[in-house]
Amino acid sequence: MLAYIVRRTAYGFVVVLGVLLLLFALFFLYAEPVEMARRAVGEKAPPEVLEQWVVNHGYAKPTWWNAEAPGDTMIADHFRSMLTFDFGRSDSDDSPILGRIRAGMGPSLSLTLPLFAFGLVFGVGLSLFVAYFRETYIDRMGVVLCVLGMSLSVLLYIIGGQFLIGKLLRWFPISGFDPSPGVMMRFLALPVLVGLAEGLGGSIRFYRTVFIEETGRDYVRTARAKGCGDGRIMARHVLHNAMIPILTRVVVSIPFLFQGSLLLESFFGIPGLGSMMVDAINGNDFATLRAMVFIGALLFIGAQILTDIAYTLVDPRVRLS
Amino acid sequence: MNEALLEAHIVSNLIVAALLVGAALAFTAARRSVLWSRAGRELLRRRPIALVTILVFVMVALLDSVAWVGGGGTEDAIALEQSRPRSLIDRMFAPDFKEKSYSAPLADAEFYGGSKLEHPGTHLLGTDILGRDVLHLTLKGARVALLIGGLTSLIVIPLALLMGISAGYFGGRIDDIVFFVVSTLASIPSLLLLIALIMALGRGPVQVCIAMGVTGWVGFCRIVRGETFKLRELDYVQAARALGVSEIGIILRHILPNLMHLVVITFVLLFSGLVLSEAILSYLGIGIDGSWGQMIDQARDELARDPIIWWNLFAASTALFVLILSVNFVGDAVRDILDPKTLGGE
Amino acid sequence: MSVPVLRIDEVLTTFPGTDGRIPVVDRVSLEVAEGEVLALVGESGCGKSMTALSAMRLVPKPGRVDSGHIELCGRDVLGLSVNEMRAVRGRDAAMIFQEPMTSLNPVQTVGAQVVEAIRLHERISFEAARSRTLDLFEQVQIPDSEQRFDAYPHQLSGGLKQRVMIAMAVSMRPKLLIADEPTTALDVTIQAQIIELLRELQRELGTAILLITHDLGVVNELADRIAVMYAGRLIERGDRVDVLSNGAHPYTRGLLRSIPAHARRDQALSEIPGVVPSPREWPAGCRFSTRCDHVQERCHSEVPGVTTVAAGHTLHCFDVADEVAR
């Protein structure tokens, strides 16, 4: 088991290197350093200032190979700085990127963690409910509602949520953020609600399919034949087996947490990593974008490794092979 | 003269012609196959409304793709319009069918100020901030939506098939490479990758589609790879190999046809995902011009005004929702019909 | 005369089709006496499994038992509440299935699954149930019972898994054990062991067995009486020796003729021409009429009634009825 973890982590590291290579290609082979300087410093800045900016931000070095000082190239810098989390300064406002990331993590987590937890609980719970009543009106209506829910763009959920609950009903503030514990909830309520509503449709449909498939399996028939009731079957037999595909899906949905946080934070004025990304896009801030994408990938790879490990805990067939 | 040949609208006209020919060919090919014609009839039986709705959208999109310069109207005031290519949809509306700014649906006067409109009572869905007719804009959005879904799928599916089949069939080194590339791409959350790609490639419609294509092929590739692994071990494939059929022959005649049902299912399900993704990109400012997503983005603070301006958002949202809903319903039915368990046996 | 352990009367089980419901068990009646082994024989798709599932009220949705009467040890099964039926299953009547691979919960140890079967019907501690389970494992000849208790299904062979299933089924000493093709998915050598085990258990515990199979060899080893099904209907029944030696229905005779052991070296294997029709395509009148070599005009439109050939040996065939009348 330990060997498996080590192997898995090692491959993960190789993938990280691949990601860095890809990022380098994307950000450095297409970017025009002088253009970036002009955007950052100002259109009318004199050429020397622009050049100085380019040098300061490390864009002046040779890309691949430096004959005079081997190792002093953009690509070497790129790998070195990313792997040591030395992200440097933003292209648009020169602020230290790592510091801003640290500052943004708190607000982002305070949004995504509750969203993730509630999404899982409600998703699994509601789909168990719907699957229990399969082939009845409750089930059919549930599926139709899910498809309807999945067909609405997340933008509409946000705009609708803000309009209905923020403006018409005035239950919660439309946007803004306050880190103090008591007040924070009021500002997070609406984005969490909106994020939940948007994600439920797809989740319930998927979990429902998993539960229905499991319920149709032979071992459930055996359990019934020995006298298990439906409730016990769901709780003690189906749920555990269903965890395996559910676990996969939960991990696959983690990137959507990023996506969600991007939109939710920016729409609802939460100063987290998501709105940092949106600012970076609008400001063509490549340095920040590069760092953010890298972190996103790291988190995702980490999550995948964790899931693989979780599989061994949940599924004895994986553990004992 | 030569430049005229490369004009966007002429390319668009040619593409429409090619699409129609391609569709006709695919249709006749499907008619001949028992499996596909039965599947098609079953689909028609189960989801007639959704199919008709999609057909309407496709028609609108096609009509908007056929454009040419000139014709219509003789007044000097619209001489400027003469030099721009106008599609069949454009020609349903008068060339200068604009106002100064907002107006409510079927209104006679401007929304702000109340001065008389150029074309009172004719804007079925009102006008937007630039005075453009909202119905006109909404209809044109259909073309963009189908472009997103269609062009991107055209990139995703062949790419995924190529990589997936190579990896699954040949295994070994090729599989290692493909698996590594797939893992790397899959490790970056797709929206982040999309953003990075568009920043690098540029913000035109073709670039956006390419970016979405590069981001989207990974999932389908994994499925193709898994299926190809299974298909390769089937008895009749082994028999074909023993008989000396070339590798390409086996792939084309045995592997590929058995993946077609996955292709159809993936195409339909991918479509709605792509259109919805573009809406998000539009919000971030890197979407495609003229899409419903862009309309929604431009309209998003109109609800905050007092009195609220709702028709812009309503038109774009409804169009988007109806199309996606129809595609989703059809997609579900397609997935049930083409389920291997119901396909093979009778 | 003791009460029959299982009594099925005119049971009709249907599934939804494109126009109305399709019967898969078409008014079948049979009885299993206390302690006897009744073999329900027929080809795949004839409805024998569904008959058994109907008896236990385990017909999978969207199928259902539409009409008829089912009695387990004298109790009307169809009239029981859901909770009462749950108490019956596993305790008064138990069932084992064909595919031991998929019939056990893959994420639970086999020991835990047998313990559950016991504790669903008896309020005893886990420890007590565990030691009962270990005894059962020994009874069904599972070696190293202590270690096997903590094993997961995928770690056991097919034969061992089937023994676990049998242990689970007989844990509460049920009056009736329904065995649905218990040996079909196993190797031939293991088949013999399982059949031997069933025979021993039946002797020791006095359990009646409803054995469902298409393998006449297994029937010969275990059965006291035989009932033959074709296309949802019961077409012949009687003593084992009677049916196997003097099987009178054309279908039964066809089956017996086609046993490879009966073939002669220089002759082609005998077979029944045609294929078993699916429930949607069942012919009117006698269902076997399309493949029968003794078919008459009326077989296509009328359903044959009961004809008695010998004591306890009955069947449904116009041709045989004519012969008996002569």
Side-chain angles (χ1 to χ4, degrees):
Chain A
M1 167 92 157
L2 193 61
Y4 178 70
I5 299 179
V6 170
R7 243 182 317 136
R8 194 66 190 78
T9 318
Y11 192 73
F13 186 68
V14 173
V15 174
V16 168
L17 292 179
V19 170
L20 282 175
L21 194 60
L22 180 65
L23 285 182
F24 184 75
L26 282 178
F27 284 111
F28 289 105
L29 297 188
Y30 284 94
E32 271 295 339
V34 183
E35 273 306 311
M36 293 199 281
R38 205 168 284 144
R39 264 194 293 254
V41 182
E43 285 292 331
K44 307 220 173 54
E48 315 87 57
V49 176
L50 292 178
E51 269 179 40
Q52 188 57 45
W53 186 96
V54 170
V55 169
N56 284 348
H57 282 254
Y59 294 132
K61 301 190 188 159
T63 319
W64 301 104
W65 175 249
N66 189 337
E68 289 115 51
D72 192 21
T73 56
M74 288 220 307
I75 191 167
D77 265 1
H78 166 78
F79 272 89
R80 202 177 346 115
S81 61
M82 288 287 113
L83 287 172
T84 55
F85 294 100
D86 175 20
F87 294 136
R89 292 172 174 280
S90 153
D91 280 345
S92 39
D93 64 4
D94 246 12
S95 55
I97 296 178
L98 191 58
R100 285 193 60 195
I101 290 180
R102 279 217 198 91
M105 276 213 302
S108 280
L109 282 175
S110 70
L111 175 63
T112 47
L113 283 181
L115 195 54
F116 181 73
F118 281 124
L120 195 60
V121 166
F122 278 109
V124 172
L126 283 173
S127 56
L128 261 174
F129 177 74
V130 170
Y132 186 77
F133 289 105
R134 47 182 281 216
E135 306 287 339
T136 63
Y137 273 108
I138 298 179
D139 183 33
R140 271 191 269 263
M141 240 186 23
V143 172
V144 170
L145 280 175
C146 285
V147 178
L148 280 170
M150 280 164 56
S151 306
L152 271 174
S153 168
V154 62
L155 294 175
L156 297 172
Y157 276 103
I158 297 178
I159 296 174
Q162 279 183 320
F163 182 66
L164 262 168
I165 300 183
K167 189 167 190 237
L168 284 186
L169 295 172
R170 293 190 185 281
W171 282 348
F172 303 111
I174 292 186
S175 67
F177 186 73
D178 187 326
S180 42
V183 198
M184 190 166 70
M185 305 263 279
R186 293 194 62 231
F187 285 106
L188 287 176
L190 195 49
V192 168
L193 269 174
V194 167
L196 256 182
E198 190 259 335
L200 268 184
S203 300
I204 293 181
R205 271 203 76 205
F206 177 77
Y207 297 145
R208 172 189 170 273
T209 311
V210 170
F211 284 129
I212 288 184
E213 243 182 59
E214 285 304 310
T215 321
R217 296 218 192 272
D218 284 349
Y219 67 82
V220 169
R221 184 179 56 177
T222 308
R224 275 220 187 87
K226 64 185 192 192
C228 275
D230 280 338
R232 193 191 165 88
I233 287 180
M234 276 301 195
R236 290 229 61 216
H237 291 263
V238 168
L239 197 56
H240 192 160
N241 277 281
M243 272 307 134
I244 299 165
I246 287 179
L247 207 56
T248 320
R249 205 229 186 214
V250 164
V251 171
V252 167
S253 73
I254 287 180
F256 292 95
L257 287 177
F258 286 111
Q259 176 177 311
S261 79
L262 256 153
L263 292 170
L264 289 173
E265 286 182 22
S266 122
F267 263 101
F268 288 98
I270 298 176
L273 296 176
S275 45
M276 213 171 118
M277 270 223 76
V278 176
D279 291 339
I281 296 170
N282 289 330
N284 282 317
D285 183 352
F286 277 24
T288 305
L289 274 175
R290 181 174 57 136
M292 303 287 305
V293 177
F294 177 59
I295 298 225
L298 272 183
L299 288 173
F300 191 35
I301 295 174
Q304 285 174 319
I305 296 181
L306 279 176
T307 331
D308 280 351
I309 297 179
Y311 274 142
T312 62
L313 294 173
V314 165
D315 189 346
R317 290 167 288 191
V318 173
R319 191 182 341 155
L320 301 162
S321 59
Chain B
M1 209 44 201
N2 281 335
E3 288 170 63
L5 278 172
L6 297 172
E7 290 262 338
H9 67 280
I10 298 192
V11 173
S12 167
N13 295 347
L14 288 173
I15 293 181
V16 170
L19 276 175
L20 288 174
V21 169
L25 284 173
F27 188 66
T28 39
R31 283 285 280 309
R32 257 183 282 138
S33 149
V34 174
L35 202 69
W36 290 104
S37 52
R38 196 187 296 142
R41 268 198 301 270
E42 181 67 21
L43 187 62
L44 257 152
R45 191 180 68 89
R46 289 198 203 186
R47 297 270 186 267
I49 309 175
L51 282 173
V52 167
T53 313
I54 296 179
L55 195 63
V56 168
F57 277 95
V58 170
M59 295 294 294
V60 171
L62 285 177
L63 287 176
D64 194 38
S65 304
V66 177
W68 67 94
V69 184
T74 52
E75 297 167 25
D76 289 281
I78 55 176
L80 266 170
E81 294 293 326
Q82 298 279 51
S83 58
R84 285 192 5 215
R86 295 171 63 226
S87 73
L88 286 165
I89 296 281
D90 292 327
R91 286 165 198 273
M92 288 187 201
F93 300 88
D96 63 338
F97 200 50
K98 275 177 59 138
E99 309 295 341
K100 295 212 190 52
S101 183
Y102 288 113
S103 76
L106 293 173
D108 290 322
E110 299 258 348
F111 196 68
Y112 292 120
S115 50
K116 205 113 176 36
L117 291 178
E118 304 277 340
H119 306 267
T122 53
H123 296 288
L124 273 169
L125 287 171
T127 55
D128 71 349
I129 191 171
L130 295 177
R132 297 175 293 193
D133 182 71
V134 169
L135 178 61
H136 187 187
L137 289 177
T138 312
L139 287 175
K140 287 185 85 70
R143 176 173 173 274
V144 179
L146 265 86
L147 180 77
I148 297 165
L151 185 59
T152 314
S153 297
L154 219 59
I155 300 172
V156 166
I157 291 178
L159 186 58
L161 280 175
L162 179 68
M163 303 290 263
I165 294 181
S166 310
Y169 190 77
F170 295 110
R173 282 254 155 249
I174 301 184
D175 184 30
D176 286 338
I177 297 174
V178 170
F179 190 71
F180 176 67
V181 171
V182 164
S183 299
T184 307
L185 277 176
S187 300
I188 309 178
S190 47
L191 186 62
L192 299 184
L193 182 60
L194 208 49
I195 293 170
L197 278 167
I198 295 178
M199 303 294 276
L201 295 172
R203 303 182 184 201
V206 178
Q207 289 99 316
V208 171
C209 285
I210 293 179
M212 288 205 286
V214 170
T215 323
W217 69 275
V218 165
F220 187 44
C221 177
R222 277 216 190 101
I223 297 175
V224 169
R225 178 174 168 269
E227 275 300 302
T228 311
F229 272 141
K230 280 192 247 164
L231 286 171
R232 187 180 57 168
E233 304 304 321
L234 283 180
D235 289 338
Y236 65 86
V237 171
Q238 309 236 21
R241 232 188 270 135
L243 284 173
V245 182
S246 70
E247 309 281 30
I248 303 283
I250 295 182
I251 292 178
L252 285 177
R253 246 177 296 154
H254 296 294
I255 311 268
L256 200 52
N258 281 303
L259 293 171
M260 283 323 269
H261 71 277
L262 283 175
V263 168
V264 174
I265 295 173
T266 306
F267 171 67
V268 183
L269 294 177
L270 198 61
F271 191 92
S272 42
L274 289 170
V275 176
L276 287 176
S277 292
E278 190 278 334
I280 297 176
L281 291 178
S282 281
Y283 164 70
L284 295 170
I286 47 181
I288 299 184
D289 269 338
S291 67
W292 293 320
Q294 202 187 47
M295 282 174 76
I296 294 176
D297 177 51
Q298 284 167 349
R300 81 185 130 90
D301 36 43
E302 289 173 5
L303 280 183
R305 302 188 188 209
D306 195 15
I308 62 171
I309 296 176
W310 54 271
W311 47 95
N312 227 347
L313 188 65
F314 174 73
S317 317
T318 313
L320 183 63
F321 178 62
V322 169
L323 178 63
I324 301 285
L325 188 67
S326 309
V327 171
N328 275 339
F329 272 134
V330 168
D332 275 355
V334 165
R335 190 178 28 199
D336 285 338
I337 295 172
L338 292 180
D339 186 349
K341 295 181 212 124
T342 54
L343 261 190
E346 207 54 58
Chain C
M1 265 290 273
S2 53
V3 176
V5 154
L6 173 67
R7 196 167 86 86
I8 300 179
D9 208 15
E10 296 283 304
V11 162
L12 176 69
T13 303
T14 60
F15 274 81
T18 35
D19 329 273
R21 299 189 72 91
I22 302 176
V24 294
V25 179
D26 198 355
R27 283 179 296 265
V28 168
S29 308
L30 55 81
E31 266 181 37
V32 182
E34 207 177 300
E36 84 164 338
V37 178
L38 172 68
L40 189 52
V41 175
E43 290 168 280
S44 315
C46 69
K48 45 194 205 294
S49 289
M50 275 301 154
T51 309
L53 290 172
S54 305
M56 297 273 280
R57 265 172 64 177
L58 283 176
V59 177
K61 284 195 261 216
R64 62 164 190 253
V65 178
D66 266 341
S67 65
H69 195 70
I70 301 177
E71 267 181 32
L72 270 173
C73 305
R75 289 175 76 187
D76 173 22
V77 158
L78 293 175
L80 293 176
S81 74
V82 172
N83 281 334
E84 288 167 334
M85 192 64 214
R86 260 195 296 153
V88 165
R89 287 195 204 113
R91 194 192 58 193
D92 303 325
M95 191 160 172
I96 61 176
F97 299 95
Q98 178 176 347
E99 285 287 350
M101 298 288 159
T102 50
S103 294
L104 290 170
N105 189 339
V107 300
Q108 279 183 356
T109 61
V110 296
Q113 298 187 47
V114 180
V115 163
E116 182 185 34
I118 298 173
R119 295 182 80 201
L120 275 170
H121 299 284
E122 253 187 61
R123 314 188 74 187
I124 60 175
S125 70
F126 181 84
E127 280 313 312
R130 184 170 180 274
S131 77
R132 273 262 286 276
T133 304
L134 291 175
D135 289 338
L136 280 165
F137 276 11
E138 279 183 30
Q139 223 181 344
V140 298
Q141 289 151 25
I142 296 178
D144 298 320
S145 51
E146 290 249 1
Q147 269 148 330
R148 296 285 203 257
F149 186 92
D150 293 318
Y152 287 95
H154 72 276
Q155 294 172 302
L156 301 178
S157 70
L160 278 180
K161 280 200 273 264
Q162 198 62 298
R163 289 177 201 272
V164 169
M165 292 273 290
I166 294 174
M168 214 157 60
V170 302
S171 59
M172 300 303 296
R173 298 176 158 257
K175 286 262 175 30
L176 171 68
L177 173 66
I178 304 181
D180 188 356
E181 311 255 18
T183 54
T184 310
L186 302 171
D187 289 338
V188 177
T189 43
I190 312 291
Q191 274 187 27
Q193 292 175 11
I194 299 293
I195 294 173
E196 183 56 42
L197 176 62
L198 285 174
R199 205 204 330 253
E200 263 186 50
L201 283 175
Q202 195 244 336
R203 256 197 331 249
E204 277 175 39
L205 302 171
T207 315
I209 300 184
L210 175 61
L211 175 67
I212 302 184
T213 179
H214 62 265
D215 187 340
L216 292 174
V218 174
V219 172
N220 196 28
E221 296 275 331
L222 273 181
D224 297 321
R225 293 200 305 131
I226 302 179
V228 183
M229 266 183 88
Y230 183 81
R233 293 210 184 113
L234 229 145
I235 52 145
E236 181 162 5
R237 84 185 80 202
D239 234 32
R240 170 174 60 104
V241 179
D242 258 341
V243 174
L244 285 183
S245 318
N246 308 322
H249 193 287
Y251 177 62
T252 316
R253 291 221 298 272
L255 279 183
L256 292 169
R257 261 202 310 264
S258 61
I259 296 177
H262 286 180
R264 290 226 293 267
R265 236 182 224 208
D266 47 348
Q267 278 179 352
L269 282 177
S270 165
E271 57 177 30
I272 308 175
V275 287
V276 180
S278 73
R280 280 168 227 266
E281 305 160 355
W282 280 346
C286 172
R287 298 241 162 92
F288 191 60
S289 53
T290 50
R291 303 166 73 189
C292 184
D293 47 356
H294 292 258
V295 65
Q296 304 171 3
E297 257 310 308
R298 52 175 168 161
C299 296
H300 292 294
S301 47
E302 292 168 45
V303 179
V306 181
T307 308
T308 310
V309 174
H313 183 178
T314 58
L315 47 73
H316 298 250
C317 177
F318 286 128
D319 186 61
V320 177
D322 288 347
E323 266 196 48
V324 167
R326 271 196 278 278

